[in-house]
Amino acid sequence: MKLLFTLSGSSGSGKTTLLDLLSRDLAINISVSYTTREKREYEVDGLHYYFVSKDEFDSLINNDMFIEYENVHGDLYGTTKEEVEHYLSERKPLFLELDVKGALNLKKIYPEDVVSIFLSAPNFNELENRLIHRSSESEEEIEKRLSRFSEEENLKKEFDYTVINDNFESTFEELKKMILSMIKED
Ligand code: 5GP
C-alpha cells in the first residue's frame, strides 16, 4: 500500500482543482503546507496553507520542523515532518501538492511510501491561457510561473507517473483509478 501521493506540475496545469476533487471522492486528506506567499482572496488560512511571515518561516526552519521546503517563485513553501509522520504512522494515505524539487526530495526520503505524479499541461500556450484566465496572479507573477515551465518539464522523467491534463474528466478518472489501485492493503 502506498501512502504519500505527491502531485506536481506547472502552475496552471490544473493540480489544485484535481486534487481537491480527488481528495473528496477518495476521502484522502491533503497536506497543508506553510508558505510566506500572500494569501489569495479565496484562500483560507489553515485550510489551503498556513500563511506565515518570513521570520516565522525561518524559525520553523531553525527548529527543524520541515521535512522539505523550497523557494518557489520567490516565496517559501514547506511541509512539516509532523504532518507526514502523522499520516504514515496512522497508515492513512495523504496527498501533497509540491513543486518538482520538493516531490523528488520527498521520494528520496520515503522511497517506499511516495508515489510521485507529474501533471503536465498539454502545451505552453494552453498553460499561458489558463494562467491568464484564472486571473489570480499579476502579469509579473504569470511570467515567473511560465519561465519555470521548461525547467519543470525537464524534470518530469524522474517522476513515477506523468499525466497530461488535456481533458479534465479523463485525467480525473485516470488518476482516480491509479490511486485506488495503490491504496489497497497488500
Ligand atoms: P501556489 O503559490 O500556486 O499555491 O503554489 C506554488 C507552488 O508551490 C506549486 O507548485 C505548489 O505545488 C508548491 N508548493 C506548495 N506547497 C509546497 C510545499 O510544502 N513544498 C514544496 N516544495 N512546494 C510546495
Side-chain angles (χ1 to χ4, degrees):
M1 180 186 187
K2 298 290 183 186
L3 292 169
L4 304 175
F5 295 90
T6 68
L7 194 63
S8 308
S10 311
S11 196
S13 57
K15 279 174 302 181
T16 310
T17 318
L18 271 169
L19 258 199
D20 201 37
L21 288 179
L22 282 168
S23 84
R24 278 190 244 172
D25 205 310
L26 298 169
I28 294 179
N29 283 78
I30 305 177
S31 165
V32 182
S33 303
Y34 281 80
T35 185
T36 60
R37 163 166 80 57
E38 238 176 75
K39 191 170 89 59
R40 294 178 191 142
E41 215 174 310
Y42 60 88
E43 287 176 323
V44 177
D45 192 15
L47 179 68
H48 295 98
Y49 285 104
Y50 298 108
F51 294 94
V52 293
S53 66
K54 175 82 175 58
D55 282 350
E56 285 170 308
F57 200 98
D58 284 342
S59 119
L60 291 167
I61 298 175
N62 294 334
N63 287 314
D64 203 20
M65 300 293 279
F66 290 121
I67 190 79
E68 66 78 38
Y69 67 91
E70 294 290 335
N71 183 322
V72 189
H73 317 301
D75 283 306
L76 294 164
Y77 296 81
T79 307
T80 59
K81 290 179 183 171
E82 192 187 353
E83 179 89 332
V84 174
E85 290 294 339
H86 170 76
Y87 286 90
L88 284 179
S89 66
E90 299 258 317
R91 307 274 313 145
K92 279 189 188 157
L94 180 68
F95 283 134
L96 301 103
E97 193 188 324
L98 303 178
D99 85 306
V100 286
K101 287 186 201 151
L104 296 174
N105 278 339
L106 202 71
K107 177 84 188 178
K108 282 195 198 117
I109 303 168
Y110 301 106
E112 298 301 317
D113 298 300
V114 169
V115 176
S116 58
I117 303 166
F118 186 91
L119 191 66
S120 224
N123 57 56
F124 186 83
N125 288 345
E126 172 72 22
L127 187 69
E128 193 174 22
N129 273 336
R130 287 185 198 181
L131 281 174
I132 290 167
H133 283 113
R134 79 176 180 189
S135 54
S136 57
E137 288 96 356
S138 66
E139 217 168 290
E140 189 193 341
E141 280 179 329
I142 290 178
E143 280 307 314
K144 269 200 262 176
R145 281 164 163 73
L146 287 175
S147 69
R148 276 175 71 96
F149 180 70
S150 47
E151 190 190 325
E152 288 171 336
E153 288 287 311
N154 283 337
L155 280 172
K156 75 178 178 194
K157 54 185 177 302
E158 295 182 37
F159 281 71
D160 296 326
Y161 297 95
T162 300
V163 178
I164 299 174
N165 188 13
D166 47 5
N167 172 293
F168 192 86
E169 287 296 312
S170 60
T171 306
F172 175 80
E173 290 304 328
E174 186 180 345
L175 283 171
K176 182 176 161 183
K177 206 166 127 195
M178 181 200 286
I179 292 159
L180 267 178
S181 72
M182 289 188 276
I183 57 175
K184 287 205 190 99
E185 293 287 352
D186 296 325

PDB file of all heavy atoms in Angstrom, residues 124-136:
ATOM      1  N   PHE A 124       2.651  24.797 -23.886  1.00  0.00           N
ATOM      2  CA  PHE A 124       2.956  26.097 -23.298  1.00  0.00           C
ATOM      3  C   PHE A 124       1.812  27.107 -23.495  1.00  0.00           C
ATOM      4  O   PHE A 124       1.428  27.816 -22.573  1.00  0.00           O
ATOM      5  CB  PHE A 124       4.250  26.629 -23.919  1.00  0.00           C
ATOM      6  CG  PHE A 124       4.741  27.891 -23.284  1.00  0.00           C
ATOM      7  CD1 PHE A 124       5.494  27.856 -22.113  1.00  0.00           C
ATOM      8  CD2 PHE A 124       4.455  29.119 -23.843  1.00  0.00           C
ATOM      9  CE1 PHE A 124       5.944  29.027 -21.519  1.00  0.00           C
ATOM     10  CE2 PHE A 124       4.897  30.294 -23.257  1.00  0.00           C
ATOM     11  CZ  PHE A 124       5.645  30.234 -22.091  1.00  0.00           C
ATOM     12  N   ASN A 125       1.251  27.139 -24.708  1.00  0.00           N
ATOM     13  CA  ASN A 125       0.198  28.127 -24.999  1.00  0.00           C
ATOM     14  C   ASN A 125      -1.040  27.910 -24.147  1.00  0.00           C
ATOM     15  O   ASN A 125      -1.658  28.845 -23.653  1.00  0.00           O
ATOM     16  CB  ASN A 125      -0.212  28.057 -26.476  1.00  0.00           C
ATOM     17  CG  ASN A 125       0.872  28.619 -27.352  1.00  0.00           C
ATOM     18  OD1 ASN A 125       1.776  29.297 -26.857  1.00  0.00           O
ATOM     19  ND2 ASN A 125       0.818  28.328 -28.637  1.00  0.00           N
ATOM     20  N   GLU A 126      -1.370  26.629 -23.996  1.00  0.00           N
ATOM     21  CA  GLU A 126      -2.532  26.278 -23.187  1.00  0.00           C
ATOM     22  C   GLU A 126      -2.316  26.733 -21.737  1.00  0.00           C
ATOM     23  O   GLU A 126      -3.195  27.277 -21.087  1.00  0.00           O
ATOM     24  CB  GLU A 126      -2.714  24.745 -23.269  1.00  0.00           C
ATOM     25  CG  GLU A 126      -3.758  24.165 -22.355  1.00  0.00           C
ATOM     26  CD  GLU A 126      -5.185  24.478 -22.776  1.00  0.00           C
ATOM     27  OE1 GLU A 126      -5.391  24.768 -23.970  1.00  0.00           O
ATOM     28  OE2 GLU A 126      -6.069  24.453 -21.891  1.00  0.00           O
ATOM     29  N   LEU A 127      -1.095  26.505 -21.268  1.00  0.00           N
ATOM     30  CA  LEU A 127      -0.741  26.884 -19.905  1.00  0.00           C
ATOM     31  C   LEU A 127      -0.878  28.398 -19.717  1.00  0.00           C
ATOM     32  O   LEU A 127      -1.461  28.879 -18.744  1.00  0.00           O
ATOM     33  CB  LEU A 127       0.705  26.461 -19.656  1.00  0.00           C
ATOM     34  CG  LEU A 127       1.216  26.618 -18.253  1.00  0.00           C
ATOM     35  CD1 LEU A 127       0.521  25.620 -17.357  1.00  0.00           C
ATOM     36  CD2 LEU A 127       2.715  26.362 -18.212  1.00  0.00           C
ATOM     37  N   GLU A 128      -0.354  29.123 -20.692  1.00  0.00           N
ATOM     38  CA  GLU A 128      -0.409  30.582 -20.650  1.00  0.00           C
ATOM     39  C   GLU A 128      -1.878  31.041 -20.589  1.00  0.00           C
ATOM     40  O   GLU A 128      -2.247  31.876 -19.773  1.00  0.00           O
ATOM     41  CB  GLU A 128       0.282  31.133 -21.895  1.00  0.00           C
ATOM     42  CG  GLU A 128       0.556  32.604 -21.819  1.00  0.00           C
ATOM     43  CD  GLU A 128       1.377  33.086 -23.013  1.00  0.00           C
ATOM     44  OE1 GLU A 128       1.368  32.411 -24.067  1.00  0.00           O
ATOM     45  OE2 GLU A 128       2.001  34.136 -22.883  1.00  0.00           O
ATOM     46  N   ASN A 129      -2.694  30.438 -21.440  1.00  0.00           N
ATOM     47  CA  ASN A 129      -4.118  30.787 -21.459  1.00  0.00           C
ATOM     48  C   ASN A 129      -4.778  30.557 -20.119  1.00  0.00           C
ATOM     49  O   ASN A 129      -5.543  31.373 -19.621  1.00  0.00           O
ATOM     50  CB  ASN A 129      -4.859  29.899 -22.476  1.00  0.00           C
ATOM     51  CG  ASN A 129      -4.792  30.528 -23.836  1.00  0.00           C
ATOM     52  OD1 ASN A 129      -4.625  31.742 -23.939  1.00  0.00           O
ATOM     53  ND2 ASN A 129      -4.921  29.712 -24.876  1.00  0.00           N
ATOM     54  N   ARG A 130      -4.476  29.397 -19.535  1.00  0.00           N
ATOM     55  CA  ARG A 130      -5.115  29.059 -18.259  1.00  0.00           C
ATOM     56  C   ARG A 130      -4.718  30.044 -17.173  1.00  0.00           C
ATOM     57  O   ARG A 130      -5.538  30.449 -16.364  1.00  0.00           O
ATOM     58  CB  ARG A 130      -4.701  27.652 -17.810  1.00  0.00           C
ATOM     59  CG  ARG A 130      -5.362  26.580 -18.638  1.00  0.00           C
ATOM     60  CD  ARG A 130      -5.015  25.227 -18.057  1.00  0.00           C
ATOM     61  NE  ARG A 130      -5.260  24.176 -19.026  1.00  0.00           N
ATOM     62  CZ  ARG A 130      -5.064  22.894 -18.792  1.00  0.00           C
ATOM     63  NH1 ARG A 130      -4.613  22.500 -17.629  1.00  0.00           N
ATOM     64  NH2 ARG A 130      -5.306  21.993 -19.716  1.00  0.00           N
ATOM     65  N   LEU A 131      -3.433  30.401 -17.152  1.00  0.00           N
ATOM     66  CA  LEU A 131      -2.962  31.328 -16.120  1.00  0.00           C
ATOM     67  C   LEU A 131      -3.599  32.695 -16.287  1.00  0.00           C
ATOM     68  O   LEU A 131      -3.978  33.340 -15.314  1.00  0.00           O
ATOM     69  CB  LEU A 131      -1.432  31.449 -16.171  1.00  0.00           C
ATOM     70  CG  LEU A 131      -0.658  30.317 -15.531  1.00  0.00           C
ATOM     71  CD1 LEU A 131       0.829  30.483 -15.768  1.00  0.00           C
ATOM     72  CD2 LEU A 131      -0.939  30.257 -14.038  1.00  0.00           C
ATOM     73  N   ILE A 132      -3.728  33.126 -17.546  1.00  0.00           N
ATOM     74  CA  ILE A 132      -4.315  34.447 -17.794  1.00  0.00           C
ATOM     75  C   ILE A 132      -5.796  34.421 -17.405  1.00  0.00           C
ATOM     76  O   ILE A 132      -6.300  35.315 -16.749  1.00  0.00           O
ATOM     77  CB  ILE A 132      -4.114  34.865 -19.266  1.00  0.00           C
ATOM     78  CG1 ILE A 132      -2.618  35.162 -19.492  1.00  0.00           C
ATOM     79  CG2 ILE A 132      -4.965  36.079 -19.613  1.00  0.00           C
ATOM     80  CD1 ILE A 132      -2.212  35.288 -20.934  1.00  0.00           C
ATOM     81  N   HIS A 133      -6.471  33.326 -17.750  1.00  0.00           N
ATOM     82  CA  HIS A 133      -7.912  33.280 -17.481  1.00  0.00           C
ATOM     83  C   HIS A 133      -8.266  33.116 -16.020  1.00  0.00           C
ATOM     84  O   HIS A 133      -9.311  33.562 -15.588  1.00  0.00           O
ATOM     85  CB  HIS A 133      -8.575  32.190 -18.343  1.00  0.00           C
ATOM     86  CG  HIS A 133      -8.742  32.661 -19.747  1.00  0.00           C
ATOM     87  ND1 HIS A 133      -8.047  32.112 -20.796  1.00  0.00           N
ATOM     88  CD2 HIS A 133      -9.482  33.663 -20.255  1.00  0.00           C
ATOM     89  CE1 HIS A 133      -8.358  32.778 -21.899  1.00  0.00           C
ATOM     90  NE2 HIS A 133      -9.229  33.715 -21.589  1.00  0.00           N
ATOM     91  N   ARG A 134      -7.401  32.471 -15.237  1.00  0.00           N
ATOM     92  CA  ARG A 134      -7.794  32.345 -13.829  1.00  0.00           C
ATOM     93  C   ARG A 134      -7.581  33.663 -13.086  1.00  0.00           C
ATOM     94  O   ARG A 134      -8.073  33.845 -11.991  1.00  0.00           O
ATOM     95  CB  ARG A 134      -7.111  31.167 -13.134  1.00  0.00           C
ATOM     96  CG  ARG A 134      -5.684  31.376 -12.699  1.00  0.00           C
ATOM     97  CD  ARG A 134      -5.178  30.151 -11.948  1.00  0.00           C
ATOM     98  NE  ARG A 134      -3.811  30.328 -11.510  1.00  0.00           N
ATOM     99  CZ  ARG A 134      -3.074  29.365 -10.989  1.00  0.00           C
ATOM    100  NH1 ARG A 134      -3.556  28.155 -10.860  1.00  0.00           N
ATOM    101  NH2 ARG A 134      -1.839  29.612 -10.604  1.00  0.00           N
ATOM    102  N   SER A 135      -6.816  34.550 -13.744  1.00  0.00           N
ATOM    103  CA  SER A 135      -6.554  35.921 -13.263  1.00  0.00           C
ATOM    104  C   SER A 135      -6.371  36.070 -11.749  1.00  0.00           C
ATOM    105  O   SER A 135      -6.883  36.994 -11.145  1.00  0.00           O
ATOM    106  CB  SER A 135      -7.601  36.912 -13.771  1.00  0.00           C
ATOM    107  OG  SER A 135      -8.887  36.499 -13.470  1.00  0.00           O
ATOM    108  N   SER A 136      -5.646  35.113 -11.140  1.00  0.00           N
ATOM    109  CA  SER A 136      -5.358  35.275  -9.714  1.00  0.00           C
ATOM    110  C   SER A 136      -3.964  35.844  -9.497  1.00  0.00           C
ATOM    111  O   SER A 136      -3.600  36.214  -8.395  1.00  0.00           O
ATOM    112  CB  SER A 136      -5.528  33.951  -8.953  1.00  0.00           C
ATOM    113  OG  SER A 136      -4.719  32.953  -9.470  1.00  0.00           O
TER     114      SER A 136
END
